[in-house]
Amino acid sequence: MRKQIAAANWKMNLTYQQAEKLIDDLLALPHQLKENQQVIFAVPFPYLTMVTHKLAGKQNVFVAAQNCYNKKSGAYTGETSVEMLQSIGVHHVVIGHSERREYFHESNEMLAEKVDICLANNITPIFCCGEPLTFREANEQDLFVAKQLLESLYHLSAEDIQKVVIAYEPIWAIGTGKTATNQQAQDIQAFIRHQIAGHYSEAIANNISILYGGSVKAANAKDIFSQADVDGGLVGGASLIADEFNTIINSLK
Ligand code: 13P
């Protein structure tokens, strides 16, 4: 059975002290994860170890990096390898967030390499996809996302594709307060699953968690997560507020 996941993406926010307090506040709030549910915190690199320690021993709770480099090691000043992440106990990495695609020019081809290096090191990629507003307005969101998946994921074996978590994040809904409607999220995420079924099989597609991201908050999480092909969310702004994110966790199916 595929996992239902509440993933926090803190992006480039919070000081170390604020990050510690956020995790402490969140741990003090009541939540009970079912066996099919997971919580993931994608935090800035300098906080990975601290958050890992604070969450030690918690069932179904993981720490993720927000990026990694597509090379194994070497003279790449300022970059972080998956081996480094592995060695500090990090087993998830967000790959291809739209902010990285836009500001750091990450291409589908480069992201395919990042996915490969993660999987080769037993790291779960949380692969982001999603269309800009112009494509949504032209009703070409399916085409746009299909190309992202084709060029970054479909080279994977049937075994490996099932190790990937997909996060659909329409760019026009990120940080804008404008959420996709439940139907819009359901339609495109069903399309993504259908595409995967076509390339692999229905059983494989049904095994893959597909998260929705873009202005998810406590007030709308339950509705969005209730959609059949929405297996939780990747949450930016609302994950920085302990009780907001806790309500989002408690909204998982
Ligand atoms: P917001 O939840 O702030 O819209 O951000 C979504 C996102 O980009 C998560 O990766």
Side-chain angles (χ1 to χ4, degrees), residues 78-153:
E79 291 298 333
T80 304
S81 73
V82 285
E83 232 173 52
M84 293 172 187
L85 296 171
Q86 261 272 339
S87 70
I88 57 166
V90 171
H91 299 293
H92 293 70
V93 180
V94 177
I95 297 290
H97 191 282
S98 60
E99 288 148 16
R100 295 216 56 87
R101 292 173 185 264
E102 183 179 350
Y103 305 135
F104 303 96
H105 313 295
E106 296 193 355
S107 64
N108 290 340
E109 294 71 27
M110 180 194 223
L111 297 174
E113 291 177 7
K114 290 192 177 193
V115 167
D116 286 345
I117 204 161
C118 283
L119 292 172
N121 288 274
N122 291 323
I123 293 212
T124 300
I126 302 170
F127 179 81
C128 301
C129 57
E131 80 286 353
L133 185 60
T134 46
F135 279 79
R136 173 60 67 169
E137 284 174 344
N139 199 28
E140 286 180 348
Q141 62 277 1
D142 290 3
L143 269 178
F144 190 92
V145 169
K147 187 172 186 309
Q148 291 179 318
L149 299 176
L150 174 70
E151 293 181 358
S152 299
L153 292 187

Side-chain angles (χ1 to χ4, degrees), residues 11 16 42-51 63-69 78-82 84-85 88 90 92-94 100:
K11 307 192 181 184
Y16 186 92
V43 309
F45 288 114
Y47 311 156
L48 284 168
T49 303
M50 177 272 287
V51 177
V63 181
Q66 296 175 11
N67 182 32
C68 68
Y69 201 47
E79 291 298 333
T80 304
S81 73
V82 285
M84 293 172 187
L85 296 171
I88 57 166
V90 171
H92 293 70
V93 180
V94 177
R100 295 216 56 87

